[in-house]
Amino acid sequence: MGNAQEKPPGSGGGGGGGGGRPDQATAGTGTRGRSGAGVEKPQTQRAPGKGVANGTQRENSSAGGQGKQDSPAVDTSYLDAPAGALPPHLARLKNAGNHLFKHGQFGDALEKYTQAIDGCAEAGIDSPEDVCILYSNRAACYLKDGNSTDCIQDCTKALELQPFSLKPLLRRAMAYESLERYRKAYVDYKTVLQIDTGVQAAHDSVHRITKMLIEQDGPEWREKLPEIPTVPLSVQLQHRDKPVSAEVAQARAARAAQEEARKKDARFTLLKREGNDLVKKGHFQEALEKYCECLTLKPDECAVYTNRAICFLKLNRFEEAKQDCDSALQLEPSNKKAFYRRALAFKGLQDYLSASSDLQEVLQLDPKVREAEQELEVVTSLLRQSLMDSTAHTHRV
């Protein structure tokens, strides 16, 4: 028990939200998994028609409709926010749709976007970017409602208006995947990654779909894919130069933090394994250095304190061994190894009474620890001898 090290723990491993928010001016990241999973369904259903999802349109919506008895406390100032080149009445419809979407009212949001799209056609609005966003936003509503076919249709219209627009590509890829049209989904996801390599949902989906295509089409699966378009460098640069929204910046920061934590875990596991190997070879000073570095990465890792205590014991640094065992017991008050190794430290410090107390604690936790029984006999003998020597010394005085 004295020189056994704990096994290094395994390390853990990440998603985002991509049919998840309506477009403003910048593109974000996507959701993992199928588009229909976990979708919030509207409460009432109406017969599906053009521009209508399986949701209801509320007469008294906070989205700017002429409703009955609106609460005077409701803030509708968001309706008047600028919306690209759209005239005020169409901007209000778009802003209303965004607000409804954000609050999970996908059917109502869809109708607002539809009214805005129809209004653009009637007014002869010549603003491809703004109309593209409206189609993309309506596609997000279809996606949330599980209507993948209409989602694909709207995304395709959006891409005709603004080729290589990221969110319509991502939403169309998710819709294709939900319909098990894996080749088309793969092409769209790969196109997304040409525009922005940081879209984790696209990476995850490419990995997942590749396995499905290999199973479906065999080793020649790549030959059966539609052609993957080459995204012009100008589009890639334009996307990189776009100011990112607070939401996108937050998602990127979260991904960076996850990656940093993953690297830290990997480094910790490697150092601990190297320390354990050095202990087995009897290189205690080198092992001690590895464990010290481990504790700079994870100062609350009990096993590292008990392992480093071994090194201190072997180097006759008993006080430091005791301190490491104290630290381990603060983290895990019933840690047998910490009690046992602290007993050895007390023995080295000639505090046989404390050593005996810790060994008895080990045996109370686990009566089958043979090393603790043997060590207790030795320590008891040393304690008896120490008391006899002390008594003899007193008589001589």
Side-chain angles (χ1 to χ4, degrees):
M1 176 170 181
N3 292 338
Q5 292 89 43
E6 290 81 351
K7 302 287 184 204
S11 56
R21 281 189 97 105
D23 301 340
Q24 299 294 343
T26 58
T29 56
T31 31
R32 301 177 64 173
R34 298 193 173 213
S35 58
V39 172
E40 180 180 347
K41 296 288 184 183
Q43 293 178 346
T44 355
Q45 296 193 351
R46 64 166 63 187
K50 189 61 185 169
V52 179
N54 292 335
T56 62
Q57 181 173 10
R58 298 183 182 177
E59 290 183 18
N60 188 21
S61 165
S62 65
Q66 299 297 319
K68 321 177 213 179
Q69 300 182 5
D70 284 339
S71 167
V74 174
D75 178 14
T76 59
S77 59
Y78 62 86
L79 292 171
D80 297 315
L86 294 177
H89 71 289
L90 298 179
R92 286 173 67 85
L93 287 169
K94 178 189 171 185
N95 292 334
N98 291 354
H99 182 80
L100 289 162
F101 188 98
K102 181 180 177 182
H103 290 84
Q105 298 174 40
F106 306 120
D108 294 340
L110 187 149
E111 293 201 16
K112 293 296 180 185
Y113 294 136
T114 299
Q115 290 170 31
I117 290 169
D118 293 344
C120 285
E122 291 166 8
I125 300 296
D126 184 19
S127 178
E129 182 177 0
D130 291 311
V131 181
C132 166
I133 289 173
L134 289 171
Y135 275 114
S136 178
N137 286 3
R138 190 170 72 176
C141 297
Y142 284 132
L143 193 63
K144 285 289 187 181
D145 198 47
N147 185 347
S148 297
T149 301
D150 282 342
C151 174
I152 291 167
Q153 185 175 335
D154 269 7
C155 289
T156 301
K157 287 178 182 175
L159 290 164
E160 288 169 359
L161 291 160
Q162 290 275 279
F164 303 112
S165 184
L166 189 141
K167 280 195 175 181
L169 274 168
L170 186 57
R171 288 166 182 161
R172 189 171 70 178
M174 295 166 69
Y176 277 139
E177 185 178 0
S178 74
L179 294 174
E180 300 184 7
R181 296 166 69 178
Y182 297 125
R183 295 173 192 161
K184 286 183 175 290
Y186 181 92
V187 169
D188 277 353
Y189 281 128
K190 292 293 279 187
T191 307
V192 165
L193 291 173
Q194 289 183 64
I195 300 168
D196 185 349
T197 58
V199 182
Q200 188 60 45
H203 284 291
D204 295 341
S205 296
V206 164
H207 181 69
R208 182 172 59 250
I209 290 173
T210 298
K211 292 181 179 178
M212 294 176 179
L213 288 173
I214 291 171
E215 290 176 9
Q216 175 183 298
D217 298 332
E220 313 300 321
W221 66 276
R222 289 184 185 277
E223 297 175 11
K224 299 181 181 181
L225 289 173
E227 183 180 355
I228 299 174
T230 301
V231 177
L233 181 60
S234 60
V235 173
Q236 298 178 41
L237 293 174
Q238 183 182 10
H239 179 77
R240 286 176 205 158
D241 292 340
K242 271 186 178 179
V244 297
S245 66
E247 181 190 357
V248 172
Q250 189 177 15
R252 288 180 182 174
R255 283 199 301 272
Q258 286 176 348
E259 179 62 17
E260 184 63 29
R262 187 194 65 77
K263 289 179 180 177
K264 183 176 174 181
D265 284 343
R267 177 71 179 154
F268 173 86
T269 301
L270 175 64
L271 286 167
K272 187 178 177 187
R273 186 182 300 123
E274 289 174 347
N276 294 351
D277 291 342
L278 286 165
V279 167
K280 290 174 185 175
K281 294 173 184 176
H283 302 321
F284 300 110
Q285 181 59 44
E286 293 92 329
L288 187 150
E289 291 167 7
K290 297 291 183 183
Y291 293 138
C292 286
E293 196 172 344
C294 278
L295 288 170
T296 63
L297 296 171
K298 293 189 178 182
D300 295 330
E301 195 73 20
C302 179
V304 179
Y305 284 108
T306 54
N307 284 3
R308 190 171 69 170
I310 293 174
C311 301
F312 283 132
L313 288 169
K314 294 294 184 179
L315 296 169
N316 295 327
R317 293 165 63 175
F318 301 117
E319 182 59 38
E320 289 158 297
K322 183 189 91 65
Q323 290 172 6
D324 268 5
C325 292
D326 288 342
S327 298
L329 288 166
Q330 284 181 351
L331 294 165
E332 293 182 17
S334 299
N335 188 294
K336 290 183 294 183
K337 289 183 180 181
F339 277 118
Y340 180 79
R341 289 167 192 173
R342 190 170 71 174
L344 298 181
F346 279 130
K347 177 184 172 186
L349 293 168
Q350 298 183 1
D351 184 352
Y352 304 123
L353 188 60
S354 295
S356 173
S357 175
D358 275 356
L359 290 167
Q360 289 177 54
E361 189 71 38
V362 173
L363 292 169
Q364 188 173 343
L365 289 167
D366 186 354
K368 298 179 182 177
V369 181
R370 182 68 182 146
E371 299 104 308
E373 286 184 11
Q374 294 170 343
E375 199 62 49
L376 183 58
E377 290 176 10
V378 172
V379 167
T380 302
S381 175
L382 289 169
L383 177 60
R384 189 179 299 117
Q385 185 63 47
S386 172
L387 291 171
M388 288 172 60
D389 291 347
S390 176
T391 302
H393 176 74
T394 301
H395 286 319
R396 281 199 299 271
V397 172

